Amino acid sequence: MPLVPPPRPAASQAADIPPTSVLNANQPEWTVGDLAGALKRTLEDAFGHVRLRGEISGYRGQHGSGHAYFSLKDGQARIDAVVWKGVFGRLRQRPQEGLEVIATGRITTFAGKSSYQIVVESLEPAGLGAWMALLEERKKQLAAEGLFAPEHKRAIPYLPQVVGVVTSPTGAVIRDILHRLEDRFPRPVLVWPVRVQGDGAAEEIAAAIRGFNALKPGGPVPRPDVLIVARGGGSIEDLWAFNEECVVRAAFESAIPLISAVGHETDTTLIDYVSDRRAPTPTGAAEMAVPVRADLIATVADLSARSVGAVGRRIERDRVDLRALGRALPSADALLAAKRQRLDLAEARLAPALAAGASRHRARLQLLLDRMARRSPDVALANARARLARIDHRPLQALRNDVQRKGEALVQLARRLVVARDASLERARALQARRADRLLALSDRLIQAGTRSVERRRDRLEGLAGLLGSLSYRAVLERGYVLVRDAAGLPVRHAADAAAAQRLRLQFADGSVEAIPDDGADSSSAGKAARRVGPRTPSASRAAERRTPAKPAAPVRQGSLFDA
């Protein structure tokens, strides 16, 4: 039934009316977009650029747009992170699931999800342990692909015509290499200047190695016979560019033999494993590239003297051997005497042999002439013509008979094929008819089953709707009850809670109104301060007109309830 306020003494009514400042104490209204923008500006002003340390979580690679989304977390909290497409390609360290990193960027908000996030501008592993763990993982991956296999390594040429150097043009490394090459064996040197640490250094080093390999032999720029990739010593972070995958793969694909000279002797990078030779220092790389000129000249002179002495001794030994063999040879007359005797004997037998051979050939020729006279070619030709005349009509008749027999067999075969085709078509039609009947029967069964299923579900839905209507609190409101809620939308079950609330919402069966509770105020005066927020209907007006004060049924005080 309707709730009405309890009667109050007339003397206290004026004192209990709330002041106008309390009734109109409404805060300024914000739109969602204005509030989101204000929060975004406040957060970006308070936290401009920050460095966050955390573990990457939820990374699934680049999005289709090229951006990357993941989270940074530690043992207490997590924050969303985004890397834009243009920044992703310049990252020194690519994101990996579970990797602990230090991310540098700016904090901002994303109004679409009412959340805050960091826009990452750079990414690096957190601490030496993370660098080493990442290095070992990448080393195992590349080794499994066979990039470090010994069979892929090539021999360094003994005396290259041109030496290519990939290093920084301003450091002491290039001066040490040039000075060492000048001392040992001066050779033309091509320097490809690159950055050896920092963002973009790995890409420049890989491009330099591929650039040297792209030079054509005999072109305007000579192609080096050996490459030296060099850098001075430093921490693992300083040398990290030589551990990047793009540099390792460029060194593996290089057709020119490559010497790596990165850091000091104790420093090890992944390019050392894939290069053809590893030098402990850049100066050592120059020593591996060329020999010592003075030592080479001395070696050549020694080899030349040894070669001249060996040739002289060989000539003298051959001269002595030739003289000894000459003394052991017989005279020319002794060598030719037997040959002259054999020639005389052959000349004496030649004339009788020629006469006997001519006689044998003459007798054989006469025999052939006699045989030809007995069997003249003209007679053989006449006999052949006679045989041909006798069999002239037989091949044609045989051909005609064969054609006639094959034609009859073909006609019989065509008749059998027609009969077989008609039988196959008849069987196919019968099979199609049976399948059509079966399909029609299945279709009827499917329609009936679908109709029954829809009817069952409709009956169940109607039953659930009736049950929902009988259990809904709105049916209780139709019987005259009112649901009281506070400003948060929670139901108010006690009068003390209603009196403590600053604003109440009364929900009737046909709408809702807002009211401000006031102890001791009459309904007519306080009703002016209430504001109706639901639709006002004639039934609500008539209910308000019929509302009359009633005596309190209990000593419990009840707050004022107002209608609009």
Side-chain angles (χ1 to χ4, degrees), residues 357-371:
S359 177
R360 290 195 302 273
H361 285 85
R362 191 179 296 108
R364 184 177 179 185
L365 179 60
Q366 186 60 40
L367 181 61
L368 293 175
L369 291 174
D370 294 341
R371 293 176 60 187

Side-chain angles (χ1 to χ4, degrees), residues 22 45 53 61 73 124 162 164 180 206 221 228 369 388 444 483 492 496 505 541:
V22 176
D45 292 341
R53 178 172 184 153
K73 67 177 183 178
E124 60 186 21
V162 179
R180 195 59 176 168
V221 178
I228 299 176
L369 291 174
L388 182 61
D444 294 339
L483 177 60
V492 178
R505 174 166 296 196
S541 300

Side-chain angles (χ1 to χ4, degrees), residues 470-495:
S470 62
L471 298 178
S472 175
Y473 71 94
R474 297 186 183 275
V476 180
L477 297 180
E478 291 291 344
R479 297 201 297 270
Y481 288 93
V482 176
L483 177 60
V484 182
R485 299 179 186 268
D486 58 9
L490 301 175
V492 178
R493 297 181 176 84
H494 304 287

Side-chain angles (χ1 to χ4, degrees), residues 56 88 90-96 99-101 122-125 131 134 138 199 240 244:
I56 295 178
F88 191 88
R90 301 194 303 269
L91 286 181
R92 181 178 179 183
Q93 171 60 46
R94 299 296 173 86
Q96 294 183 15
L99 179 65
E100 186 176 4
V101 296
S122 66
L123 206 64
E124 60 186 21
W131 288 100
L134 182 60
R138 186 171 295 172
D199 295 338
W240 192 255
E244 293 292 350

Side-chain angles (χ1 to χ4, degrees), residues 53-54 120 139 194 214 221 294 314 342 387 461 464 483 563:
R53 178 172 184 153
V120 178
K139 178 181 176 182
V194 297
V221 178
R314 178 62 182 271
R342 290 178 59 188
R387 289 196 303 272
L461 183 60
L464 292 176
L483 177 60
D563 197 1

